[in-house]
């Protein structure tokens, strides 16, 4: 393999690792600039991220004892910027 091909393989492995660790936004941030959309489809990953965020926010709300003690949902603290 040439150097650029090895780099793409390394990035693909890194993205796969991010997905396995459920770091979906970070994975999508790499998928797009490295043009790996055919290998890793970003839309399902983003949908999964949103579903996970909803589920965690609901769980946090249920754990709270009162409305005053509710934990704010900070899942969307990192805005997504796509090229």
């Amino acid at each position: 393999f040439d150097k650029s091909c090895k780099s793409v393989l390394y990035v693909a492995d890194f993205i796969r690792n991010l997905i396995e660790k459920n770091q979906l936004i970070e994975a999508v941030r790499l998928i797009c600039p490295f043009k790996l959309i055919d290998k890793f489809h970003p839309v399902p990953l983003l949908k999964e991220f949103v579903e996970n965020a909803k589920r965690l926010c609901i769980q946090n709300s249920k754990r709270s004892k009162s409305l005053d003690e509710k934990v704010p949902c900070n899942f969307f603290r990192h805005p997504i910027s796509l090229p």
Side-chain angles (χ1 to χ4, degrees):
F1 291 121
D2 64 357
K3 196 173 187 177
S4 64
C5 187
K6 285 181 182 180
S7 297
V8 171
L9 290 174
Y10 173 77
V11 172
D13 286 341
F14 187 72
I15 291 170
R16 195 173 297 108
N17 190 26
L18 288 172
I19 293 169
E20 288 172 5
K21 292 181 178 183
N22 211 29
Q23 296 178 348
L24 304 175
I25 296 296
E26 290 80 2
V28 171
R29 285 185 176 149
L30 292 175
I31 291 168
C32 296
F34 283 96
K35 297 179 173 75
L36 293 170
I37 295 171
D38 57 328
K39 189 167 185 155
F40 302 100
H41 303 287
V43 173
L45 294 173
L46 293 171
K47 286 181 179 181
E48 183 179 345
F49 172 80
V50 170
E51 290 304 314
N52 290 342
K54 285 180 188 178
R55 187 175 51 254
L56 285 173
C57 287
I58 290 169
Q59 288 173 355
N60 283 340
S61 295
K62 288 180 180 178
R63 282 190 217 144
S64 298
K65 294 180 182 177
S66 72
L67 290 175
D68 296 329
E69 296 176 11
K70 287 199 183 256
V71 178
C73 181
N74 293 321
F75 246 97
F76 298 104
R77 65 185 177 272
H78 301 294
I80 302 171
S81 58
L82 297 176

